[in-house]
Amino acid sequence: MSNLENIPNFLQINDNLATAGQPSREQFADIKEAGYELVINIGLLESPGALPDERRVVTEQGMTYVQIPVVFEAPQIEEVARFCDLMLFNPDKKIFVHCVANKRVACFVYLYRILVKGDDEAQAKQDLLRAWTPDATWQGFIDDALVQLR
């Protein structure tokens, strides 16, 4: 088992993309060692268990850090559009995406895979469901995003 599998709710989507819940300070060194270059955090720094100094922790490891703060109870289409743009503009980077529990991320990555990458929807859905089954708020958000961003 790799050290990354010790990160809460870690999921390897492909060779260049992984998702997870909140890594510890120490686990960001493992993320760097695994070759990740870009860390995207779509959680809030005020969430329980989040690292308020995460940008510093990540950049000290030599990785690029981007935060797209998404309120769990109220995801916005503009946030997933920004996420998709960020992914699209970094096609050659190994990317690690996280939030607190890998719920927001699982939905955003699912949408990115369908809307931008054109991945097989059944496989993308299977990966989403490995992380969690979206509640009514998030399923509604997914449905709206698929309509508005196609």
Side-chain angles (χ1 to χ4, degrees), residues 44 47 70-76 104 135 137-138 141:
L44 304 178
S47 295
V70 177
V71 174
F72 186 79
E73 298 80 10
Q76 303 296 312
R104 285 170 269 219
D135 63 16
T137 297
W138 279 89
F141 172 73

PDB file of all heavy atoms in Angstrom, residues 44 47 70-76 104 135 137-138 141:
ATOM      1  N   LEU A  44     -13.223  24.445   2.305  1.00  0.00           N
ATOM      2  CA  LEU A  44     -13.061  25.719   2.999  1.00  0.00           C
ATOM      3  C   LEU A  44     -11.970  25.580   4.050  1.00  0.00           C
ATOM      4  O   LEU A  44     -11.897  24.566   4.739  1.00  0.00           O
ATOM      5  CB  LEU A  44     -14.374  26.131   3.678  1.00  0.00           C
ATOM      6  CG  LEU A  44     -15.606  26.220   2.784  1.00  0.00           C
ATOM      7  CD1 LEU A  44     -16.830  26.579   3.611  1.00  0.00           C
ATOM      8  CD2 LEU A  44     -15.397  27.229   1.680  1.00  0.00           C
ATOM      9  N   SER A  47     -13.213  24.775   7.567  1.00  0.00           N
ATOM     10  CA  SER A  47     -13.876  23.499   7.854  1.00  0.00           C
ATOM     11  C   SER A  47     -13.116  22.743   8.938  1.00  0.00           C
ATOM     12  O   SER A  47     -11.885  22.851   9.040  1.00  0.00           O
ATOM     13  CB  SER A  47     -13.930  22.635   6.596  1.00  0.00           C
ATOM     14  OG  SER A  47     -14.725  23.234   5.619  1.00  0.00           O
ATOM     15  N   VAL A  70     -15.643  25.991  -1.996  1.00  0.00           N
ATOM     16  CA  VAL A  70     -17.017  25.617  -2.323  1.00  0.00           C
ATOM     17  C   VAL A  70     -17.762  25.330  -1.019  1.00  0.00           C
ATOM     18  O   VAL A  70     -17.361  24.451  -0.258  1.00  0.00           O
ATOM     19  CB  VAL A  70     -17.045  24.376  -3.238  1.00  0.00           C
ATOM     20  CG1 VAL A  70     -18.472  23.926  -3.519  1.00  0.00           C
ATOM     21  CG2 VAL A  70     -16.288  24.645  -4.537  1.00  0.00           C
ATOM     22  N   VAL A  71     -18.817  26.082  -0.782  1.00  0.00           N
ATOM     23  CA  VAL A  71     -19.654  25.840   0.394  1.00  0.00           C
ATOM     24  C   VAL A  71     -20.434  24.555   0.135  1.00  0.00           C
ATOM     25  O   VAL A  71     -21.158  24.448  -0.868  1.00  0.00           O
ATOM     26  CB  VAL A  71     -20.608  27.030   0.648  1.00  0.00           C
ATOM     27  CG1 VAL A  71     -21.578  26.726   1.777  1.00  0.00           C
ATOM     28  CG2 VAL A  71     -19.807  28.296   0.930  1.00  0.00           C
ATOM     29  N   PHE A  72     -20.289  23.585   1.020  1.00  0.00           N
ATOM     30  CA  PHE A  72     -20.861  22.261   0.807  1.00  0.00           C
ATOM     31  C   PHE A  72     -22.369  22.312   0.553  1.00  0.00           C
ATOM     32  O   PHE A  72     -22.888  21.614  -0.303  1.00  0.00           O
ATOM     33  CB  PHE A  72     -20.560  21.340   1.998  1.00  0.00           C
ATOM     34  CG  PHE A  72     -21.006  19.926   1.773  1.00  0.00           C
ATOM     35  CD1 PHE A  72     -20.258  19.065   1.002  1.00  0.00           C
ATOM     36  CD2 PHE A  72     -22.197  19.462   2.318  1.00  0.00           C
ATOM     37  CE1 PHE A  72     -20.680  17.757   0.766  1.00  0.00           C
ATOM     38  CE2 PHE A  72     -22.624  18.160   2.096  1.00  0.00           C
ATOM     39  CZ  PHE A  72     -21.864  17.305   1.318  1.00  0.00           C
ATOM     40  N   GLU A  73     -23.056  23.142   1.300  1.00  0.00           N
ATOM     41  CA  GLU A  73     -24.515  23.208   1.203  1.00  0.00           C
ATOM     42  C   GLU A  73     -25.005  24.027   0.008  1.00  0.00           C
ATOM     43  O   GLU A  73     -26.213  24.054  -0.257  1.00  0.00           O
ATOM     44  CB  GLU A  73     -25.117  23.811   2.479  1.00  0.00           C
ATOM     45  CG  GLU A  73     -24.848  23.014   3.736  1.00  0.00           C
ATOM     46  CD  GLU A  73     -23.444  23.250   4.330  1.00  0.00           C
ATOM     47  OE1 GLU A  73     -22.736  24.178   3.873  1.00  0.00           O
ATOM     48  OE2 GLU A  73     -23.065  22.490   5.232  1.00  0.00           O
ATOM     49  N   ALA A  74     -24.094  24.696  -0.700  1.00  0.00           N
ATOM     50  CA  ALA A  74     -24.527  25.591  -1.785  1.00  0.00           C
ATOM     51  C   ALA A  74     -23.493  25.660  -2.913  1.00  0.00           C
ATOM     52  O   ALA A  74     -22.941  26.720  -3.205  1.00  0.00           O
ATOM     53  CB  ALA A  74     -24.797  26.988  -1.226  1.00  0.00           C
ATOM     54  N   PRO A  75     -23.216  24.543  -3.587  1.00  0.00           N
ATOM     55  CA  PRO A  75     -22.263  24.591  -4.703  1.00  0.00           C
ATOM     56  C   PRO A  75     -22.817  25.451  -5.837  1.00  0.00           C
ATOM     57  O   PRO A  75     -24.034  25.522  -6.039  1.00  0.00           O
ATOM     58  CB  PRO A  75     -22.147  23.123  -5.124  1.00  0.00           C
ATOM     59  CG  PRO A  75     -23.441  22.500  -4.681  1.00  0.00           C
ATOM     60  CD  PRO A  75     -23.832  23.222  -3.431  1.00  0.00           C
ATOM     61  N   GLN A  76     -21.912  26.106  -6.548  1.00  0.00           N
ATOM     62  CA  GLN A  76     -22.291  27.030  -7.621  1.00  0.00           C
ATOM     63  C   GLN A  76     -21.737  26.547  -8.965  1.00  0.00           C
ATOM     64  O   GLN A  76     -20.613  26.047  -9.037  1.00  0.00           O
ATOM     65  CB  GLN A  76     -21.754  28.436  -7.325  1.00  0.00           C
ATOM     66  CG  GLN A  76     -22.210  29.017  -6.000  1.00  0.00           C
ATOM     67  CD  GLN A  76     -23.707  29.238  -5.945  1.00  0.00           C
ATOM     68  OE1 GLN A  76     -24.277  29.808  -6.876  1.00  0.00           O
ATOM     69  NE2 GLN A  76     -24.336  28.776  -4.883  1.00  0.00           N
ATOM     70  N   ARG A 104     -17.336  16.840  -2.316  1.00  0.00           N
ATOM     71  CA  ARG A 104     -17.361  17.920  -3.309  1.00  0.00           C
ATOM     72  C   ARG A 104     -16.483  17.558  -4.491  1.00  0.00           C
ATOM     73  O   ARG A 104     -16.874  17.699  -5.652  1.00  0.00           O
ATOM     74  CB  ARG A 104     -16.844  19.228  -2.692  1.00  0.00           C
ATOM     75  CG  ARG A 104     -17.775  19.928  -1.772  1.00  0.00           C
ATOM     76  CD  ARG A 104     -17.055  21.057  -1.062  1.00  0.00           C
ATOM     77  NE  ARG A 104     -16.502  20.543   0.170  1.00  0.00           N
ATOM     78  CZ  ARG A 104     -16.480  21.206   1.314  1.00  0.00           C
ATOM     79  NH1 ARG A 104     -16.937  22.438   1.369  1.00  0.00           N
ATOM     80  NH2 ARG A 104     -16.004  20.659   2.388  1.00  0.00           N
ATOM     81  N   ASP A 135     -26.106  13.531  -2.171  1.00  0.00           N
ATOM     82  CA  ASP A 135     -27.406  13.804  -1.570  1.00  0.00           C
ATOM     83  C   ASP A 135     -28.235  14.629  -2.551  1.00  0.00           C
ATOM     84  O   ASP A 135     -27.798  14.922  -3.671  1.00  0.00           O
ATOM     85  CB  ASP A 135     -27.242  14.493  -0.212  1.00  0.00           C
ATOM     86  CG  ASP A 135     -26.573  15.858  -0.290  1.00  0.00           C
ATOM     87  OD1 ASP A 135     -26.485  16.457  -1.394  1.00  0.00           O
ATOM     88  OD2 ASP A 135     -26.131  16.355   0.764  1.00  0.00           O
ATOM     89  N   THR A 137     -29.104  17.780  -2.672  1.00  0.00           N
ATOM     90  CA  THR A 137     -28.488  19.050  -3.078  1.00  0.00           C
ATOM     91  C   THR A 137     -27.453  18.823  -4.166  1.00  0.00           C
ATOM     92  O   THR A 137     -27.447  19.508  -5.194  1.00  0.00           O
ATOM     93  CB  THR A 137     -27.835  19.747  -1.869  1.00  0.00           C
ATOM     94  OG1 THR A 137     -28.844  20.058  -0.920  1.00  0.00           O
ATOM     95  CG2 THR A 137     -27.083  21.004  -2.276  1.00  0.00           C
ATOM     96  N   TRP A 138     -26.570  17.871  -3.942  1.00  0.00           N
ATOM     97  CA  TRP A 138     -25.493  17.646  -4.891  1.00  0.00           C
ATOM     98  C   TRP A 138     -25.972  16.968  -6.175  1.00  0.00           C
ATOM     99  O   TRP A 138     -25.454  17.260  -7.250  1.00  0.00           O
ATOM    100  CB  TRP A 138     -24.348  16.879  -4.219  1.00  0.00           C
ATOM    101  CG  TRP A 138     -23.514  17.824  -3.445  1.00  0.00           C
ATOM    102  CD1 TRP A 138     -23.677  18.197  -2.140  1.00  0.00           C
ATOM    103  CD2 TRP A 138     -22.417  18.584  -3.942  1.00  0.00           C
ATOM    104  NE1 TRP A 138     -22.733  19.137  -1.801  1.00  0.00           N
ATOM    105  CE2 TRP A 138     -21.941  19.393  -2.879  1.00  0.00           C
ATOM    106  CE3 TRP A 138     -21.778  18.668  -5.173  1.00  0.00           C
ATOM    107  CZ2 TRP A 138     -20.869  20.262  -3.027  1.00  0.00           C
ATOM    108  CZ3 TRP A 138     -20.699  19.531  -5.316  1.00  0.00           C
ATOM    109  CH2 TRP A 138     -20.258  20.307  -4.250  1.00  0.00           C
ATOM    110  N   PHE A 141     -27.355  19.696  -8.165  1.00  0.00           N
ATOM    111  CA  PHE A 141     -26.251  20.485  -8.702  1.00  0.00           C
ATOM    112  C   PHE A 141     -25.635  19.794  -9.919  1.00  0.00           C
ATOM    113  O   PHE A 141     -25.384  20.428 -10.954  1.00  0.00           O
ATOM    114  CB  PHE A 141     -25.194  20.708  -7.613  1.00  0.00           C
ATOM    115  CG  PHE A 141     -23.937  21.337  -8.121  1.00  0.00           C
ATOM    116  CD1 PHE A 141     -23.905  22.677  -8.475  1.00  0.00           C
ATOM    117  CD2 PHE A 141     -22.775  20.590  -8.243  1.00  0.00           C
ATOM    118  CE1 PHE A 141     -22.745  23.253  -8.951  1.00  0.00           C
ATOM    119  CE2 PHE A 141     -21.609  21.167  -8.708  1.00  0.00           C
ATOM    120  CZ  PHE A 141     -21.595  22.496  -9.074  1.00  0.00           C
TER     121      PHE A 141
END
